[in-house]
Amino acid sequence: MDAGPAVAAERQSHVDAVLARLFSLARKRAEPLGPTYVELWRQIEASTTGGKRFRPRMVFAAYGALGGTDYEAAANVGAAFELLHTALCLHDDVIDHDFARRGTPNVAGVYRDEALAAGVELSAAEHHGSSAAVIAGDLALFNAYRLIDRSGVSDDVRARLLEVMDDALFASAAGELIDIDFALKPEDPHVDDILTMERLKTAVYSFEGPLQAGAILAGAAEEIIETLGEFGRDIGIAYQLVDDVLGVFGAEAETGKTTIGDLREGKRTVLIAYAAAARGWDELAPLFGDPSLTDADAARLRTHLVDSGARTFGEGLARYYANRAVTRLVESHIPERLRAELHPVADAVLGRAK
Amino acid sequence: MDAGPAVAAERQSHVDAVLARLFSLARKRAEPLGPTYVELWRQIEASTTGGKRFRPRMVFAAYGALGGTDYEAAANVGAAFELLHTALCLHDDVIDHDFARRGTPNVAGVYRDEALAAGVELSAAEHHGSSAAVIAGDLALFNAYRLIDRSGVSDDVRARLLEVMDDALFASAAGELIDIDFALKPEDPHVDDILTMERLKTAVYSFEGPLQAGAILAGAAEEIIETLGEFGRDIGIAYQLVDDVLGVFGAEAETGKTTIGDLREGKRTVLIAYAAAARGWDELAPLFGDPSLTDADAARLRTHLVDSGARTFGEGLARYYANRAVTRLVESHIPERLRAELHPVADAVLGRAK
């Protein structure tokens, strides 16, 4: 039985309530330590709003389909993964030197702008913003852990949930390291390396971890937890691949991001790795990663991505991983209700690419 | 009864063993994720060695003096605070743009050098180093929490220990924010603001937290835990003040750091705040914070710090806070054994300044 939209919305607002409570308490605690510290907490909270609450949805999907009924606990676990996501975004933006997310200033951007307004020159102002984002990310990370701890579950379940979150951060850090190391090598990374990086950096904490957490919370059997991990890993890779395609070919009104940003940033995706190995790349390579890339030159890059077969390859690979994910659910130990809950997830992941 | 040097050394090696075990397990887990990730964990471990293991000593001081006997648990809690210290240093070095600690490259420095060796230009290489340090700090922070979690104590004790660590990070983040905000104001910060910053940024997690954690672990009464917090806060401020004096006037062979570094960095200390308000500062102000400050000009700054009374003021204030700390222990609910354990700590803090 698929959770209807009304139920899903109710669970999301439950997650919102958990987060609102955490931030309200934090601001009270921060008051004696100064108004600027209260304001930092407001900024961290702002970082958590406006998202799709995707990771909590994964927690609920597994939890509900496997018979869970303690939605307070599930909301805490969902909120924990949302806060982990917030922490990783805050620090990822520092690493990527990004001062905006979804078109508006992120924490680094807000504090950079504060410094600029105080008359600090740009480079130092950006450093001020990045410094504030490092501090903010630390607080978000610690509190992600605390939410698991305060979810009211039994010791055994708590211990396992913490392991899942530990594994999620462990993998994300490994993926982030691989990503920053790409810049050290003169040659372009292979498709395989990009896939490994995306799986570790994003898929584990976004899909694998939350799904397994929901299953653990529901007291599911080991084999179900394991299969959910495999499903999560595959669907997470598919999600990233679709994201990479949309980052260049998507409809901006739907995706909420431009189709020139990734090209200007020089973001290493599977499409780029494929296209860089094809004839005709050498003359276009200087355009890729140029912050002042024009629309005309961006169109030339897109044409090469199509003509070289990179786009088709990327879309095909996304379909392959999504199908592989769904195939994992065919196993007899997977309840029909869980299959029914997750098939639409796989469809939605692929559907974005149409 | 004062813990003799042999006992203290044994407890420190117990803490070392806890950390060594954690890092050994992490490296094994990291192997499938690539040799560079294994190496990152080696670098994080290297960040934890060579220190004075000060925070674990505070845990043991309170714990032993209050009758604790489960040194496995105490070693885990001590190691947790050491790892928290490591995490905060890693991120503080990113915020301060420092690529060395105690004269050798820190994690940021090691990864900056790796990038330089790969032919990356300096600014991007420094960013690569800082990025690696952000990732490393996240892993250290998360694992500090995990060590408390895995210390084998009862639920109630665990919950309280986590609160103490939460308070420690909460305060440190507030102090760090105050510190980075100093750069936004045209006027020099007041002595009071520096003291508040130093208390929050360093004293809480270095003294107050570890002492209270040791007391909680030993099952001590609330009033003892509270008094230890007050002692920790005051002795922590005294420690920072002595550190500030030594940073300009210390004997480099003893302190392990230069007496020109803080002046070149423009580190805002109580001495500087005092001296900046005294006559004669205006013509010297451009020297302060100049990365290429000469020994001769450093001597001029030091002379002003002495002549203005700033040095005497700083040393006097340190003695004031150390005495205030010791006076807190006069309370009748403080066992004689705890007094005997902590008086030498206060002496040692002040003794550095002689």
Side-chain angles (χ1 to χ4, degrees), chain A residues 142-156:
Chain A
F142 201 75
N143 279 276
Y145 199 95
R146 294 285 268 152
L147 274 171
I148 299 269
D149 215 65
R150 293 213 199 96
S151 55
V153 299
S154 72
D155 273 4
D156 290 343

Side-chain angles (χ1 to χ4, degrees), chain A residues 26 29-30 33 36-37 40-41 88 91 94-97 111 114-115 118 120 127-128 131-132 134-135 138-139 141-143 145-146 149-150 155 158-159 162-163 165-167 169-171 173-174 176-178 180-181 183-184 199-200, chain B residues 26 29-30 33 36-37 40-41 88 91 94-97 111 114-115 118 120 127-128 131-132 134-135 138-139 141-143 145-146 149-150 155 158-159 162-163 165-167 169-171 173-174 176-178 180-181 183-184 199-200:
Chain A
R29 254 170 107 198
L33 306 183
T36 58
Y37 193 48
L40 181 70
W41 275 100
L88 294 173
H91 282 178
V94 168
I95 289 170
D96 285 350
H97 218 64
Y111 283 87
E114 178 193 70
V120 175
H127 187 75
H128 181 84
S131 298
V134 169
I135 300 166
D138 287 350
L139 292 169
L141 181 61
F142 201 75
N143 279 276
Y145 199 95
R146 294 285 268 152
D149 215 65
R150 293 213 199 96
D155 273 4
R158 189 182 49 79
L162 290 173
E163 266 177 43
M165 183 163 276
D166 194 319
D167 286 342
L169 177 69
F170 195 82
E176 186 77 78
L177 182 68
I178 292 172
I180 68 169
D181 272 352
L184 300 188
R199 173 175 62 86
L200 291 173
Chain B
R29 254 170 107 199
L33 305 183
T36 57
Y37 194 47
L40 181 69
W41 276 100
L88 294 173
H91 282 179
V94 168
I95 288 170
D96 284 351
H97 217 63
Y111 282 87
E114 179 194 69
V120 175
H127 188 74
H128 181 83
S131 298
V134 169
I135 299 167
D138 287 350
L139 292 169
L141 181 62
F142 201 75
N143 278 276
Y145 206 146
R146 293 287 266 153
D149 217 64
R150 294 213 198 95
D155 273 5
R158 189 182 51 77
L162 291 173
E163 267 178 42
M165 182 162 278
D166 193 321
D167 286 342
L169 176 70
F170 195 82
E176 185 78 77
L177 182 68
I178 291 172
I180 68 169
D181 272 352
L184 300 188
R199 172 176 62 86
L200 292 172

Side-chain angles (χ1 to χ4, degrees), chain B residues 254-298:
Chain B
E254 283 174 34
T255 63
K257 54 185 221 173
T258 74
T259 51
I260 201 170
D262 285 357
L263 294 173
R264 282 186 174 148
E265 177 195 320
K267 187 180 179 190
R268 293 175 194 83
T269 66
V270 164
L271 274 72
I272 295 294
Y274 188 97
R279 203 178 321 162
W281 176 253
D282 286 347
E283 62 216 60
L284 294 170
L287 301 176
F288 180 64
D290 180 355
S292 47
L293 179 73
T294 63
D295 286 332
D297 283 339

Side-chain angles (χ1 to χ4, degrees), chain B residues 141-292:
Chain B
L141 181 62
F142 201 75
N143 278 276
Y145 206 146
R146 293 287 266 153
L147 275 172
I148 300 268
D149 217 64
R150 294 213 198 95
S151 55
V153 299
S154 72
D155 273 5
D156 290 342
V157 172
R158 189 182 51 77
R160 289 214 62 187
L161 290 174
L162 291 173
E163 267 178 42
V164 169
M165 182 162 278
D166 193 321
D167 286 342
L169 176 70
F170 195 82
S172 187
E176 185 78 77
L177 182 68
I178 291 172
D179 200 9
I180 68 169
D181 272 352
F182 282 149
L184 300 188
K185 303 186 175 84
E187 71 275 6
D188 295 299
H190 291 163
V191 164
D192 279 350
D193 297 327
I194 307 276
L195 283 177
T196 299
M197 182 272 288
E198 288 184 335
R199 172 176 62 86
L200 292 172
K201 183 175 167 180
T202 314
V204 177
Y205 90 84
S206 301
F207 288 86
E208 200 175 322
L211 285 166
Q212 289 189 315
I216 287 165
L217 204 52
E222 277 312 307
E223 44 187 2
I224 295 179
I225 295 168
E226 192 177 322
T227 299
L228 274 176
E230 293 162 357
F231 170 85
R233 192 170 313 134
D234 285 341
I235 204 67
I237 294 173
Y239 183 89
Q240 280 304 123
L241 286 163
V242 169
D243 216 53
D244 289 349
V245 171
L246 291 176
V248 182
F249 294 103
E252 301 190 15
E254 283 174 34
T255 63
K257 54 185 221 173
T258 74
T259 51
I260 201 170
D262 285 357
L263 294 173
R264 282 186 174 148
E265 177 195 320
K267 187 180 179 190
R268 293 175 194 83
T269 66
V270 164
L271 274 72
I272 295 294
Y274 188 97
R279 203 178 321 162
W281 176 253
D282 286 347
E283 62 216 60
L284 294 170
L287 301 176
F288 180 64
D290 180 355
S292 47

Side-chain angles (χ1 to χ4, degrees), chain A residues 34-272:
Chain A
T36 58
Y37 193 48
V38 175
E39 181 55 28
L40 181 70
W41 275 100
R42 283 195 195 285
Q43 291 300 331
I44 300 171
E45 182 169 22
S47 299
T48 69
T49 59
K52 301 180 292 297
R53 293 277 189 264
F54 195 81
R55 288 135 197 100
R57 277 166 59 191
M58 291 299 103
V59 173
F60 283 127
Y63 185 66
L66 290 165
T69 52
D70 179 1
Y71 282 100
E72 179 67 29
N76 272 276
V77 174
F81 274 93
E82 190 66 22
L83 213 45
L84 174 65
H85 172 57
T86 298
L88 294 173
C89 286
L90 284 166
H91 282 178
D92 191 53
D93 285 347
V94 168
I95 289 170
D96 285 350
H97 218 64
D98 283 334
F99 294 90
R101 204 166 251 270
R102 295 188 221 104
T104 55
N106 52 20
V107 169
V110 166
Y111 283 87
R112 170 203 57 187
D113 293 344
E114 178 193 70
L116 287 172
V120 175
E121 58 88 14
L122 182 62
S123 170
E126 287 187 338
H127 187 75
H128 181 84
S130 295
S131 298
V134 169
I135 300 166
D138 287 350
L139 292 169
L141 181 61
F142 201 75
N143 279 276
Y145 199 95
R146 294 285 268 152
L147 274 171
I148 299 269
D149 215 65
R150 293 213 199 96
S151 55
V153 299
S154 72
D155 273 4
D156 290 343
V157 172
R158 189 182 49 79
R160 289 213 62 187
L161 289 174
L162 290 173
E163 266 177 43
V164 169
M165 183 163 276
D166 194 319
D167 286 342
L169 177 69
F170 195 82
S172 188
E176 186 77 78
L177 182 68
I178 292 172
D179 200 8
I180 68 169
D181 272 352
F182 282 149
L184 300 188
K185 303 185 176 85
E187 70 276 6
D188 297 297
H190 291 164
V191 164
D192 280 348
D193 296 328
I194 308 277
L195 283 176
T196 299
M197 181 273 287
E198 289 184 334
R199 173 175 62 86
L200 291 173
K201 182 175 167 180
T202 315
V204 177
Y205 90 85
S206 300
F207 288 86
E208 200 175 322
L211 285 166
Q212 290 190 314
I216 288 164
L217 203 51
E222 276 313 306
E223 43 186 5
I224 295 180
I225 295 167
E226 193 178 320
T227 299
L228 274 176
E230 292 163 356
F231 170 85
R233 192 171 313 135
D234 285 341
I235 204 63
I237 294 174
Y239 182 89
Q240 279 306 122
L241 287 163
V242 169
D243 216 52
D244 289 349
V245 171
L246 291 177
V248 181
F249 294 102
E252 301 191 17
E254 283 174 35
T255 65
K257 54 185 223 173
T258 74
T259 52
I260 202 168
D262 285 359
L263 295 173
R264 282 187 174 147
E265 176 197 319
K267 188 181 177 189
R268 292 176 195 85
T269 66
V270 165
L271 273 74
I272 294 296

